[in-house]
Amino acid sequence: MTEQDERAPFLYVVVCAAGIATDVGKLITAAQERQWHVGVIATPLAMNGFFDTAAVETQTGRPIRSAWRRPGDSRPFPEPDAVVVAPATFNTINKWAAGIADTLALGTLCEAYGLGVPIAALPCVADALAAHPAYQDSLIRLRGMGVRFGEPYSGEVREDGRRPEFGWERALDLLDR
Ligand SMILES: Cc1cc2nc3c(=O)[nH]c(=O)nc-3n(C[C@H](O)[C@H](O)[C@H](O)COP(=O)(O)O)c2cc1C
């Protein structure tokens, strides 16, 4: 058995700058309960107050990655066995589908397809944005690449003043499919 066979499966959690990202710790807890080791890769904007970065680093035991490493630096995370992007923003979904890799998060997502690992995405996109034809085209393209999407979630507050549960575990269920 090789060292690779022996190591625990490693999950990349890509976090975008959506309000719901404040609860991303729930996804990390659920993933760890399912025996995943977790490394978080956040968009630069997501690092800007969208979630508690110190708490996430404590939870995963690893620094959050957001910037590209410098040439010559070793890779801080092992290769992924699966990739989750949650929450996935309108912006990141469209850029990912277009093959744009101008952030580490996008580069990671673009590369995951070529690595052939399972990819799950939980969009958090307002209905008014989701109506944009480019977004619909992006979903079709990414689905065609094998990306497994959770049901649409707009993040909008209901009449009772509450926000529906995001259902973070959906991402892990999609990987198990
Ligand atoms: C408080 C706040 C909440 C936001 N929530 C969302 C959201 O739920 N979904 C979304 O697509 N964009 C949301 N945005 C807008 C994104 O942050 C913006 O489009 C940004 O460019 C996304 O960058 P990223 O995809 O690189 O993370 C929000 C912005 C702010 C300031």
Side-chain angles (χ1 to χ4, degrees):
M1 192 180 272
T2 66
E3 198 176 299
Q4 178 80 11
D5 293 329
E6 280 175 20
R7 76 168 173 83
F10 201 84
L11 178 68
Y12 286 5
V13 171
V14 176
V15 183
C16 303
I20 198 79
T22 190
D23 287 333
V24 71
K26 292 182 181 176
L27 173 57
I28 297 165
T29 300
Q32 290 171 333
E33 284 172 0
R34 296 191 195 193
Q35 313 308 322
W36 289 100
H37 285 203
V38 178
V40 171
I41 298 167
T43 66
L45 279 165
M47 294 295 283
N48 201 14
F50 279 84
F51 65 102
D52 185 339
T53 53
V56 161
E57 290 189 342
T58 300
Q59 215 181 345
T60 63
R62 298 170 191 271
I64 296 168
R65 296 198 62 205
S66 188
W68 296 96
R69 66 193 162 102
R70 292 186 318 175
D73 286 354
S74 57
R75 286 175 177 267
F77 291 167
E79 290 287 306
D81 296 287
V83 177
V84 159
V85 49
T89 52
F90 177 82
N91 176 60
T92 287
I93 289 170
N94 288 324
K95 288 169 93 174
W96 177 19
I100 295 170
D102 62 354
T103 65
L104 178 65
L106 279 165
T108 301
L109 291 173
C110 288
E111 194 179 49
Y113 170 70
L115 293 176
V117 297
I119 309 167
L122 299 185
C124 180
V125 175
D127 291 343
L129 278 176
H132 195 295
Y135 181 70
Q136 297 306 322
D137 289 348
S138 296
L139 294 181
I140 290 168
R141 184 164 206 183
L142 292 168
R143 282 201 182 97
M145 290 162 58
V147 178
R148 306 164 191 188
F149 279 94
E151 291 298 307
Y153 179 92
S154 70
E156 278 148 30
V157 176
R158 291 184 306 223
E159 280 182 8
D160 64 4
R162 294 186 166 184
R163 226 180 278 280
E165 284 289 316
F166 188 53
W168 291 92
E169 294 209 24
R170 292 179 297 150
L172 305 172
D173 295 341
L174 286 166
L175 294 180
D176 286 343
R177 219 179 47 188

